[in-house]
Amino acid sequence: MAEDPSGRQRMVAGAADMISRRGLNATSVRELAKHTKAPLGSTYHYFPGGKYDLATEAVRWADDLTMGVLTEELAAGPQAGLSAFLSLWRNIVLNSDFHAGCPVLAVSVEDLPEEHDTPRKAAAEAFQRWTSLLADSLRDAGAPADDAEQGATLIVAAVEGTVAMCRAQRSITPLDHVTAQLTQMIEKMLPELPPAARPATARRRKKTPRR
Amino acid sequence: MAEDPSGRQRMVAGAADMISRRGLNATSVRELAKHTKAPLGSTYHYFPGGKYDLATEAVRWADDLTMGVLTEELAAGPQAGLSAFLSLWRNIVLNSDFHAGCPVLAVSVEDLPEEHDTPRKAAAEAFQRWTSLLADSLRDAGAPADDAEQGATLIVAAVEGTVAMCRAQRSITPLDHVTAQLTQMIEKMLPELPPAARPATARRRKKTPRR
DNA sequence: GTCTATACGAAGATAGAC
DNA sequence: GTCTATCTTCGTATAGAC
């Protein structure tokens, strides 16, 4: 968990980044090895299943990273979680000057040969985990069960779609618009409360909040 | 506009479909020619700029198709337009058994070499056109200007993201959830009216409605 | 103008030297 | 165990025969 100097770990993170930029098909093992300063042959020592093993781990890596951020921030309620989720992708898009995005989305829109289907399955799992986490948080905060489930799905879908739109348009404006609307949506689906109050279920947090 | 038996037109539509399934990088000119029964050499006669010319036209083709559907159905108001927009992609996903999606999104998440950037620009334009059309319709129906603009962006982003989620999960459920939430969102942003009534601006339509 | 045959590079994957 | 050199397949693009 401390920094892992291992070439293996660097390759997984590097693959996630590269896939998020160019997609899975355009991410070659050759170039990845070069960028991460790992010898080409070692790749197949670390990842005997080759490119698709590597891609699957890259998707899981992004999944876990996102789950970590969401879990931590959702402790302070759905709005805080939404905000953190948005910031996560916002920073990735801006720091890469609109060149990087979400590797999970990238894998989801490339039809893979039937026998190398594990990256897509990992992507499906990631979306499911993010959605469930958000839905639970909305329910805990008092949203009706249907709205919680549907709203969580909308949040994940909208963020993924918006990141792609921002990249196409080379502008962060779509993300700002979506942020405003999703924030409104959550407000309307929660029971009305004075801004300071919070339902009891939302108060249990596991750690001290960040920052 | 009647059926075009031309090989050229078939290649553009075929490219749009293939890109929507596997992404731009995995769409080879070779295989496209084979699928559309056009000789490989002819491709470069029709599209002197090669693969990226072809991709750009494919994106514009999908753009125009979507604009046509949207323009026609939005004449009956924003809810009808949303519904048609959703159906369009829903049918594509279901008819392809979760293998096809939106070519505009596919192009948006693949970083292209700087010199072959036109497909991305065409994608940016497509998103912009769809968003503007929806925003205008929402404004005409009485939504506040900010909500109209932001809501239109959310609709486009959410639909694009949801199509990708459905493909990853091999399930149409996300699209159903998003449909419910977006429908609610539009209702809440429009002035309250008895279901039968309609603001005057939404009544002007250009053609007789289909079917 | 249409198409076949081919040039040339880069992809995934592996064999086998260190 | 690590890495280099190489095999095979497929990519884009073109040259030149009909």
Side-chain angles (χ1 to χ4, degrees):
Chain A
M1 246 269 206
E3 34 238 81
D4 189 339
S6 136
R8 203 197 132 92
Q9 190 67 10
R10 265 207 329 279
M11 290 198 86
V12 173
D17 178 65
M18 216 179 241
I19 290 171
S20 91
R21 291 172 188 259
R22 329 185 185 170
L24 177 50
N25 270 292
T27 297
S28 78
V29 177
R30 267 186 155 76
E31 211 169 344
L32 177 62
K34 177 168 285 186
H35 272 55
T36 58
K37 298 185 183 355
L40 177 59
S42 298
T43 308
Y44 294 89
H45 171 64
Y46 293 142
F47 308 94
K51 180 178 179 168
Y52 294 95
D53 269 17
L54 188 45
T56 305
E57 289 206 41
V59 170
R60 296 213 180 104
W61 180 85
D63 179 10
D64 290 341
L65 188 80
T66 308
M67 283 295 283
V69 171
L70 269 180
T71 303
E72 196 158 348
E73 302 292 330
L74 280 174
Q79 292 284 14
L82 171 65
S83 180
F85 191 44
L86 288 162
S87 291
L88 175 63
W89 299 114
R90 187 190 173 89
N91 288 336
I92 287 174
V93 169
L94 288 180
N95 291 341
S96 66
D97 197 30
F98 300 100
H99 288 286
C102 176
V104 181
L105 181 70
V107 159
S108 300
V109 299
E110 296 188 44
D111 222 27
L112 306 176
E114 171 112 13
E115 68 196 19
H116 295 306
D117 205 34
T118 48
R120 192 218 92 224
K121 284 178 184 151
E125 246 185 82
F127 286 143
Q128 187 56 59
R129 296 212 295 157
W130 304 351
T131 306
S132 292
L133 215 57
L134 284 163
D136 287 348
S137 165
L138 286 167
R139 257 190 301 267
D140 282 355
D146 278 2
D147 280 346
E149 187 69 23
Q150 295 167 2
T153 306
L154 177 60
I155 290 172
V156 173
V159 170
E160 294 291 325
T162 310
V163 166
M165 277 180 79
C166 288
R167 290 179 64 189
Q169 304 191 339
R170 302 258 211 255
S171 157
I172 203 66
T173 307
L175 195 56
D176 290 336
H177 287 177
V178 165
T179 299
Q181 288 292 304
L182 290 179
T183 304
Q184 267 190 49
M185 180 193 72
I186 291 190
E187 268 169 26
K188 287 179 184 158
M189 101 177 26
L190 296 186
E192 288 155 39
L193 291 171
R198 276 270 142 71
T201 48
R203 227 183 286 128
R204 51 180 164 103
R205 44 175 68 177
K206 294 169 186 167
K207 306 180 172 190
T208 58
R210 285 193 154 176
R211 141 186 4 143
Chain B
M1 247 274 203
E3 35 238 78
D4 188 341
S6 135
R8 201 197 133 92
Q9 191 66 11
R10 266 207 328 281
M11 290 198 84
V12 173
D17 178 65
M18 215 178 238
I19 290 171
S20 90
R21 292 172 187 258
R22 330 184 185 174
L24 177 49
N25 271 292
T27 296
S28 79
V29 177
R30 256 189 162 79
E31 211 170 344
L32 177 62
K34 177 168 285 187
H35 273 54
T36 59
K37 297 181 186 351
L40 178 60
S42 297
T43 308
Y44 295 89
H45 172 64
Y46 293 142
F47 308 94
K51 180 178 178 167
Y52 293 95
D53 268 17
L54 187 44
T56 305
E57 289 207 40
V59 170
R60 295 213 180 102
W61 179 86
D63 179 10
D64 290 341
L65 188 80
T66 307
M67 283 295 284
V69 172
L70 269 180
T71 303
E72 196 158 347
E73 302 292 329
L74 280 174
Q79 293 283 15
L82 171 65
S83 181
F85 191 44
L86 288 162
S87 291
L88 175 63
W89 299 114
R90 186 190 173 89
N91 288 336
I92 286 174
V93 170
L94 288 180
N95 291 340
S96 67
D97 196 31
F98 301 101
H99 288 286
C102 176
V104 182
L105 181 70
V107 160
S108 301
V109 298
E110 298 188 42
D111 223 27
L112 306 176
E114 172 111 15
E115 70 197 18
H116 296 306
D117 205 34
T118 48
R120 193 217 91 223
K121 284 178 183 150
E125 247 186 81
F127 286 143
Q128 187 56 58
R129 295 212 294 158
W130 304 350
T131 306
S132 292
L133 216 57
L134 285 163
D136 287 348
S137 165
L138 287 167
R139 257 189 301 268
D140 283 355
D146 278 2
D147 280 346
E149 186 69 23
Q150 295 167 2
T153 306
L154 177 60
I155 290 172
V156 173
V159 170
E160 294 291 325
T162 310
V163 165
M165 276 180 79
C166 288
R167 290 179 63 189
Q169 305 192 340
R170 303 258 211 256
S171 156
I172 203 67
T173 307
L175 195 57
D176 290 336
H177 287 177
V178 166
T179 299
Q181 288 292 303
L182 290 180
T183 305
Q184 268 191 48
M185 178 193 72
I186 291 190
E187 268 170 27
K188 287 180 184 158
M189 104 178 24
L190 295 187
E192 288 154 39
L193 291 172
R198 276 272 142 71
T201 49
R203 227 181 287 128
R204 50 179 164 104
R205 45 175 66 175
K206 294 169 188 168
K207 306 179 173 189
T208 58
R210 283 192 154 175
R211 149 184 358 161

